[in-house]
Amino acid sequence: AMGTSFGTESDLGDRRPAVFQTLYTQGHKVDFAATPLGPGVPGMQAYHTSVVVDEIEYSFSFEGVTHGPNLMSHRHLPNAPPKVVYLGLTSISGKQMHEYMKQHFRRGSYDLLRKNCNSFTDCSLFYLLDTRLDPRYRGLEKIGHAADKNAGLVQTLSGGDYTPNPAADKFSLEDVIRVINVEKQKEFDARRSGTG
C-alpha cells in the first residue's frame, strides 16, 4: 500500500482528489515502479522509483524529468525488473504531470540523498492521485541525509563519491507538496466558480 494522503482529508479543502474526478470521464492509468538497489541493511533498503502513466514511465535523474516506454530507467539495475503496482486512475495526463514536475525537478538539480527519484515519485503521486510515496521507499535517504548533515558520514563512507549538489540546497520535499496542494486547490476553485 502507498502512503497516506497529505496530512488529513481536510488538507485537501473541499476539492475532490484527481482520482475521483474520473468517475464520468476517461481516466489515465497510474502505476508505481520500484527496484531495490544494493543488498540493503535489515530494516533499510534503497530503491529506484518511478511513475508510469498510460504505459509511459516518468523518472528523475541528472538529466531532469525523463519519459519513455518499457521502464527504461530500471533496466540497467542489477535487481531489475521492478515491482510494478497499479495505483488507480486520474484525470491528469502524463504529459500534464511531466510539464508541471519539470519546474520543480530541473536538469542538473538531482542529489542522491536530498532530491532524487523518490522525491520526484512522491511529488508526482501527490500531483496525480493525492497520495504519498510509502515512507519505506524513502527510508535510506532520510537517514543518509540526516547523517550527512551532521557529520559528513555519507561522504566519508562513500570514499568521497557522494558530494552534495548545490543545485538541490533549497529543495524541500514538503514545501513542493504544499505548493502542489495549494495550486490544485486554486485550480479546483477556479473551475467551480466558472473562471477556470
Side-chain angles (χ1 to χ4, degrees):
M2 294 310 297
T4 59
S5 292
F6 177 68
T8 64
E9 289 299 316
S10 63
D11 291 331
L12 298 177
D14 56 357
R15 74 176 165 86
R16 291 178 301 166
V19 68
F20 294 117
Q21 295 175 25
T22 61
L23 190 57
Y24 301 107
T25 60
Q26 180 178 355
H28 300 278
K29 180 183 175 211
V30 179
D31 295 314
F32 159 75
T35 300
L37 301 173
V41 176
M44 281 189 294
Q45 174 68 59
Y47 289 90
H48 169 64
T49 63
S50 61
V51 175
V52 181
V53 181
D54 296 332
E55 306 303 320
I56 301 296
E57 178 196 26
Y58 297 87
S59 62
F60 177 63
S61 68
F62 288 106
E63 299 300 316
V65 179
T66 57
H67 64 335
N70 303 321
L71 300 165
M72 293 302 289
S73 76
H74 294 262
R75 287 186 172 226
H76 70 283
L77 301 173
N79 295 326
K83 175 182 176 184
V84 178
V85 178
Y86 170 74
L87 296 179
L89 297 173
T90 183
S91 60
I92 301 167
S93 72
K95 183 177 180 180
Q96 289 170 298
M97 185 268 304
H98 182 238
E99 287 303 312
Y100 182 84
M101 287 300 152
K102 285 193 310 187
Q103 69 183 310
H104 296 290
F105 293 89
R106 297 182 190 279
R107 180 185 186 121
S109 67
Y110 180 91
D111 184 280
L112 180 65
L113 298 178
R114 300 177 298 155
K115 186 177 183 184
N116 58 27
C117 61
N118 300 321
S119 309
F120 169 78
T121 298
D122 197 2
C123 291
S124 297
L125 292 177
F126 188 72
Y127 183 76
L128 291 165
L129 298 169
D130 293 294
T131 193
R132 301 289 303 271
L133 180 63
D134 187 314
R136 75 178 143 163
Y137 294 103
R138 297 193 46 79
L140 193 59
E141 65 257 45
K142 282 184 178 180
I143 291 167
H145 176 56
D148 198 54
K149 249 179 122 174
N150 294 324
L153 180 62
V154 174
Q155 289 177 351
T156 302
L157 291 175
S158 70
D161 286 344
Y162 169 71
T163 303
N165 182 350
D169 285 349
K170 294 184 185 194
F171 177 78
S172 164
L173 175 64
E174 296 309 317
D175 286 350
V176 174
I177 293 291
R178 276 190 282 280
V179 167
I180 293 169
N181 194 49
V182 167
E183 290 178 1
K184 287 177 77 173
Q185 182 65 47
K186 285 180 185 175
E187 191 177 300
F188 171 79
D189 292 342
R191 274 197 318 270
R192 186 173 60 179
S193 68
T195 61

